[in-house]
Amino acid sequence: MKNDTQLDWLISKTKGDVVIWIIVFMLSIFSLLAVYSSTGTMAYKYQSGNTEYYLFKHLFLMCFGLAMLYLCHKINYVYYSRVSQILLWISVPLLIFTYIAGSNINQAHRWITLPGINLSFQTSDLAKLALIMYTARMLSKKQEVITDFKKGTLPIILPAIIICGLIAPANLSTAAVLFATCLLIMFIGRMNFKHIALIVFSGLIFIVSIIIVLHKIGQSTHHPIGRVETWVSRVENFMGDGNQEEYFQSQQAKIAVATGGFFGKGPGNSVEKNFLPNPYSDFIFAIIVEEYGYLGGLFLIFLYMLLLYRSIRIVVKSPKAFGALLAAGLCFSLVLQAFVNMGVAVHIFPVTGLTMPLVSMGGTSLWFTSIAFGIILSVSRDIEENEELEPDIVLGES
């Protein structure tokens, strides 16, 4: 009886879209099952066969993330407008420091190792959250001059260019998805479409030109510049021009997907988890399809599509521009990243290194994803509370 009372109390304190809450818990269950299965080889390699080590570590990180989600959903989303300014100013020096002196993991400076707790913190996760919130804030404040290039477009697009430009050298795929998300909410925020098209066209020409030039310099000097060779190699492999060794990841992912069949091999029975690099993060969708079949993969796609649909409902119902743009931006970021991760596993996109939100194993990335869900639910909670007040206002007027 006591447990039932505590559960009822917790449910009464939990607000926001019920369907999104269900999606969060369903994705969390998927995550626990997939991470436990895919970390077996790593457990034997680094933890003397203790296969529960990574499961309990991931469970702890997930529980902490869910607690942060709950806390964020209780905060009025209006406060995130001011928070976004602070986080954006913090993100710029953090990204610079990470690129110069960050931990080198998998040939990329993307992480800062937090002293004392030895936890890797990916600064781009903070910057991504800050930029989306800040873009939503600026769009809501610039609505009266949103079609003016100097007064409306430049103050909104410049922070996006700076943040994505700082992320790109170490993590081009994250920068691309983040910039695409910002462009989507700019379009929803009524920014001049011609300005958006001009920015996209100019940006593509600039990035492709820089990559080609740096690639040529690297080839002529025999000293690769940054991660340019990795980007070029991944595109060549995707087009079928790379060597078999470099093509290994995509091959193993396709084997996992192809051998999963409709119903899969069953939980824990994946074979390709022993061959795929990072099966618990970058290629977790391939492991899920192998073990749970096309049925499991389609159900996971359905969950993200349902999240998109429910978030669009929040956008439509939100009475304030900031709330609508905030929910849209965070949702688009999560769903777009999820589908890019899935696309890599089935060879629709080149290998990117993007994880699947709330499913892949991670530390700070899992926490920032949880915060994003919490903010979306905060907007939803505000809509619910306003709808509950409307009948009282009508009765008072009558």
Side-chain angles (χ1 to χ4, degrees), residues 250 253 282-283 339-353:
S250 296
D282 301 359
F283 290 95
F339 281 113
V340 170
N341 178 276
M342 296 176 191
V344 169
V346 298
H347 203 58
I348 294 176
F349 301 118
V351 175
T352 62

Side-chain angles (χ1 to χ4, degrees), residues 340-381:
V340 170
N341 178 276
M342 296 176 191
V344 169
V346 298
H347 203 58
I348 294 176
F349 301 118
V351 175
T352 62
L354 287 175
T355 58
M356 184 174 290
L358 215 63
V359 176
S360 295
M361 186 173 77
T364 53
S365 62
L366 183 63
W367 294 348
F368 282 109
T369 300
S370 299
I371 290 171
F373 270 102
I375 295 172
I376 294 171
L377 286 165
S378 174
V379 179
S380 175
R381 181 178 66 85

Side-chain angles (χ1 to χ4, degrees), residues 233-247:
S233 175
R234 285 176 174 178
V235 173
E236 288 177 348
N237 293 336
F238 178 73
M239 301 300 292
D241 297 329
N243 59 55
Q244 290 299 307
E245 183 179 351
E246 292 177 339
Y247 200 52

Side-chain angles (χ1 to χ4, degrees), residues 175-189:
V177 170
L178 177 58
F179 197 71
T181 301
C182 291
L183 291 176
L184 279 171
I185 56 176
M186 287 174 197
F187 178 73
I188 294 172

Side-chain angles (χ1 to χ4, degrees), residues 17 19-21 23-24 27 301-314 327 330-332 334-335 338 357 373 376:
D17 194 309
V19 176
I20 293 181
W21 278 108
I23 292 169
V24 167
L27 290 175
I301 292 171
F302 167 75
L303 288 177
Y304 283 107
M305 290 299 294
L306 185 58
L307 170 64
L308 179 62
Y309 169 70
R310 300 301 295 189
S311 297
I312 290 173
R313 288 183 79 249
I314 294 172
L330 293 173
C331 171
F332 287 151
L334 295 171
V335 174
F373 270 102
I376 294 171

Side-chain angles (χ1 to χ4, degrees), residues 11 149 179 199 219 244 278 288 299 324 343 354 360 386:
I11 292 173
F149 185 79
F179 197 71
I199 292 164
Q219 282 187 323
Q244 290 299 307
N278 304 320
I288 289 172
F299 182 66
L354 287 175
S360 295
N386 287 333

